[in-house]
Amino acid sequence: MSDARANPPRSLLITGCSSGIGHAAAHAMAARGWRVFATARAEADVARLRKEGLEALPLDLASSASIVAAVESVGEQTGGRLTALFNNGAYGQPGAVEDLTRDVLRAQLETNLLGTHELTTLVLPMMRAQGHGRIVQNSSVLGFAALPYRGAYVCSKFALEGLTDVLRQELTGSGIHVSLIQPGPITSRFRENAHRAFLANIDAQHSAHADTYRKVEARLASTEGKASFTLGPEAVVAKLIHALEHHRPKPRYAVTLPTHLFAALKRVLSTRGLDRVLLGSTRDERE
């Protein structure tokens, strides 16, 4: 047997690689010698990723058929082995909680939570069979700190964190490690995608929040500058490398100053006190 067959390269499946964190992670991990399967929802993005030299395949987290097909393809190409999964794919649906229809909230959860969950459950048998694996969930500062007009996204990330904590406990002793990364503001197309979701799904004109929405939409549509304390996607990639390669990965990795700050304040402030801080941090978006 050749050395390549005896010691196959570490393999990694990443969701949401069309831009931002996923795109940066795919290239960084491939440069570190990992066999990366970079996925994206749109065929055009998959084709572009292939031209960039990555092994890319389509994966739409809102479609069970797409998830199953992607896992089957990876299994066939790796002989049923997968070292790691980075659940990065997600989008943000802005809007006041009272303006979120059941269908809009369901769509947010289908991609950010339920699709991620289904993908995870489908790769776990491969990891159990080989006796080891790494699962890394890309959560958010909004996975533990709620900010106004982000209710759908907050709901999906709070739920992802709870589900991940239970999964980590249940996999104790299996050789499979589970970690959460909690980024704050990161340079990406997140705001651009959120603006599209806002226009498509929120009836701003007839909302009790119509006045505030004018500020919200202006922020989402703006191409000038970036949010305070914003870091590049490489800041998340640095934490991902530790979670994937260190012999003892951490359960949680905080990224950016707001994540560290809000986590500390949540430990020491009352609920009302934390509300005042969180509302204050977004006052310029509403006034």
Side-chain angles (χ1 to χ4, degrees):
M1 181 181 292
S2 68
D3 290 342
R5 291 183 127 201
N7 298 291
R10 295 171 296 181
S11 54
L12 168 64
L13 174 61
I14 307 177
T15 61
C17 295
S18 62
S19 63
I21 294 169
H23 186 264
H27 280 285
M29 299 315 297
R32 294 179 67 85
W34 285 71
R35 183 180 183 185
V36 174
F37 295 94
T39 72
R41 182 177 55 84
E43 287 288 353
D45 288 325
V46 173
R48 174 172 53 82
L49 291 168
R50 288 172 179 163
K51 287 182 180 179
E52 293 173 5
L54 295 168
E55 290 188 69
L57 60 156
L59 196 161
D60 182 352
L61 288 168
S63 166
S64 289
S66 177
I67 294 170
V68 170
V71 172
E72 289 180 347
S73 178
V74 170
E76 290 171 0
Q77 295 180 66
T78 63
R81 300 178 66 85
L82 182 66
T83 309
L85 168 66
F86 180 32
N87 280 314
N88 167 71
Y91 74 96
Q93 172 62 64
V97 169
E98 65 187 283
D99 292 332
L100 299 172
T101 67
R102 185 170 185 164
D103 286 343
V104 168
L105 185 57
R106 180 185 292 115
Q108 180 81 109
L109 295 175
E110 284 289 352
T111 294
N112 291 13
L113 177 68
L114 303 180
T116 291
H117 167 68
E118 183 174 17
L119 176 59
T120 301
T121 61
L122 289 177
V123 304
L124 274 171
M126 287 191 280
M127 293 182 177
R128 283 191 177 277
Q130 68 198 17
H132 63 88
R134 301 286 173 104
I135 297 171
V136 183
Q137 314 275 47
N138 198 22
S139 181
S140 169
V141 60
L142 298 180
F144 65 87
L147 291 178
Y149 301 100
R150 297 162 173 83
Y153 187 75
V154 166
C155 174
S156 71
K157 293 301 186 179
F158 265 61
L160 178 66
E161 295 234 350
L163 200 64
T164 299
D165 282 342
V166 174
L167 178 64
R168 186 183 64 252
Q169 293 170 6
E170 293 172 349
L171 291 176
T172 299
S174 69
I176 303 170
H177 297 277
V178 183
S179 299
L180 280 156
I181 299 179
Q182 299 169 315
I186 297 292
T187 304
S188 71
R189 292 206 317 238
F190 187 88
R191 188 166 63 179
E192 175 187 334
N193 295 332
H195 187 214
R196 283 199 297 269
F198 177 82
L199 294 175
N201 298 316
I202 301 298
D203 183 4
Q205 183 178 355
H206 298 98
S207 170
H209 300 267
D211 290 341
T212 301
Y213 279 155
R214 282 189 279 274
K215 290 278 288 185
V216 170
E217 187 174 355
R219 176 181 62 84
L220 293 173
S222 175
T223 57
E224 298 180 4
K226 59 184 181 180
S228 300
F229 309 111
T230 299
L231 298 179
E234 63 276 2
V236 177
V237 173
K239 304 298 185 182
L240 176 65
I241 291 170
H242 190 280
L244 294 179
E245 298 183 356
H246 196 272
H247 71 278
R248 192 179 183 188
K250 298 178 181 179
R252 277 175 168 77
Y253 295 87
V255 185
T256 75
L257 178 60
T259 304
H260 287 282
L261 177 61
F262 290 161
L265 292 176
K266 188 168 185 176
R267 289 193 293 268
V268 299
L269 293 179
S270 67
T271 298
R272 288 191 179 91
L274 184 61
D275 278 351
R276 285 193 291 270
V277 171
L278 296 175
L279 284 167
S281 73
T282 58
R283 184 175 292 114
D284 62 334
E285 300 176 3
R286 307 186 308 278
E287 298 176 357

